[in-house]
């Protein structure tokens, strides 16, 4: 099966007239649990209006044309088979953050593709999954992780590319209903996506002057691909139906 990613609009995939009717603006989200300030985008993946929330936080002292760490937080309905975030806005030649829930664990898999095939695992981007901010309830799961290697990468020409820490960056997402073939393994294979889409994510809204301190405070462990236990606590749902906090 040929993989396609980044070749059309979400509206075309869903069969609706205009992508603007589905697109949500990028907003600021101040996370009371981890303390990070995120820029947030809610990516719609169904005609019923269901969406996956992607949040990104960056250090305020990050410089343009330089690599820097970023924190990603994903909130997804439990029905999602797997999801992916493309840091360069396409399937190929940029870091891919792929994630899925597996019972009491959240799996984060680092991938990178040079063609429209199943993306192999990628050692160029590593993830530190935080103990705080990684959890689940009956309807959604949430994972929060620091990525080292997601904001700089070698493009198709071999030249190094950098995400702008103070401006807009074109990102993309993919979603599938079917679970990976071996969901307990971060190196599992998985089928082609059902839906994909793009947006421009404003990193200027994601500035964190105490970025390093917050990373230390929230804790975690570093690996290229990781399965992290989800905390089973009573979750207080946010206004958007996602995970806002706990009691």
């Amino acid at each position: 099966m040929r993989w396609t990613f980044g070749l059309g609009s979400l509206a075309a995939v869903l069969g609706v007239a205009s992508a603007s009717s589905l697109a949500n603006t990028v907003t600021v989200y101040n996370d009371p649990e981890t303390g990070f300030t995120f820029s947030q985008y809610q990516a719609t993946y169904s005609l019923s209006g269901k969406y996956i929330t992607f949040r990104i936080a960056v250090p305020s002292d990050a410089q343009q044309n330089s690599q820097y760490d970023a924190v990603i937080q994903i909130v997804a309905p439990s029905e999602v088979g797997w999801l992916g975030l493309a840091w360069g806005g396409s399937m190929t030649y940029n870091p891919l953050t792929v994630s899925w829930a597996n019972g009491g664990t959240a799996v984060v898999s680092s991938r990178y593709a040079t063609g429209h095939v199943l993306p192999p695992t990628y050692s160029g981007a590593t993830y530190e999954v935080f103990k705080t901010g990684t959890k689940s309830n009956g309807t959604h799961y949430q994972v929060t992780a620091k990525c080292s290697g997601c904001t700089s990468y070698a493009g198709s020409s071999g030249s190094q590319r950098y995400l702008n820490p103070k401006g807009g960056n074109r990102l993309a997402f993919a979603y599938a209903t079917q679970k990976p073939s071996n969901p307990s393994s971060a190196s599992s294979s998985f089928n082609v996506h059902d839906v994909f889409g793009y947006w421009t994510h404003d990193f200027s809204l994601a500035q964190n002057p105490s970025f390093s301190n917050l990373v230390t405070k929230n804790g975690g462990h570093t690996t290229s691909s990781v399965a992290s236990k989800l905390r089973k606590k009573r979750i207080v749902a946010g206004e958007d139906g996602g995970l806002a906090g706990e009691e």
Side-chain angles (χ1 to χ4, degrees):
M1 179 181 294
R2 176 177 170 81
W3 286 65
T4 57
F5 190 98
L7 300 179
S9 70
L10 177 60
V13 175
L14 295 179
V16 296
S18 171
S20 63
S21 63
L22 295 174
N24 294 299
T25 58
V26 177
T27 58
V28 174
Y29 177 75
N30 295 306
D31 186 5
E33 186 177 14
T34 65
F36 283 101
T37 296
F38 291 97
S39 53
Q40 169 181 279
Y41 180 79
Q42 294 170 339
T44 305
Y45 66 86
S46 76
L47 289 174
S48 63
K50 294 180 180 180
Y51 55 82
I52 300 165
T53 301
F54 293 97
R55 297 171 180 152
I56 293 174
V58 299
S60 296
D61 59 358
Q63 301 298 311
Q64 294 190 39
N65 300 316
S66 298
Q67 181 173 304
Y68 53 91
D69 291 341
V71 168
I72 179 171
Q73 185 175 86
I74 300 169
V75 183
S78 301
E79 69 179 21
V80 170
W82 65 265
L83 60 87
L85 174 70
W87 291 83
S90 69
M91 178 178 174
T92 58
Y93 295 101
N94 64 145
L96 307 174
T97 303
V98 181
S99 180
W100 58 85
N102 178 43
T105 62
V107 178
V108 178
S109 183
S110 183
R111 305 284 177 132
Y112 187 98
T114 57
H116 292 281
V117 295
L118 176 69
T121 56
Y122 175 55
S123 62
T126 58
Y127 296 86
E128 179 182 348
V129 176
F130 296 154
K131 298 173 184 177
T132 306
T134 299
K135 55 191 178 181
S136 69
N137 63 13
T139 62
H140 291 72
Y141 83 95
Q142 175 178 298
V143 61
T144 307
K146 183 191 76 173
C147 180
S148 300
C150 285
T151 62
S152 176
Y153 57 91
S156 58
S157 65
S159 61
Q160 201 69 11
R161 298 184 179 181
Y162 302 94
L163 300 190
N164 182 358
K166 309 296 184 185
N169 297 285
R170 186 176 187 264
L171 306 182
F173 85 98
Y175 149 85
T177 57
Q178 187 172 343
K179 290 281 188 183
S181 59
N182 184 13
S184 64
S185 171
S187 60
S188 175
S189 62
F190 44 85
N191 284 336
V192 68
H193 53 73
D194 299 313
V195 171
F196 62 92
Y198 327 88
W199 73 98
T200 297
H201 202 100
D202 189 355
F203 281 35
S204 72
L205 303 179
Q207 304 297 303
N208 287 265
S210 300
F211 185 89
S212 296
N213 290 337
L214 289 172
V215 168
T216 301
K217 168 191 169 184
N218 287 288
H221 52 92
T222 303
T223 182
S224 58
S225 297
V226 61
S228 180
K229 287 186 178 180
L230 293 169
R231 290 181 296 136
K232 293 294 185 180
K233 293 188 177 182
R234 183 170 181 266
I235 305 298
V236 180
E239 293 180 358
D240 60 1
L243 306 181
E246 61 185 51
E247 293 181 338

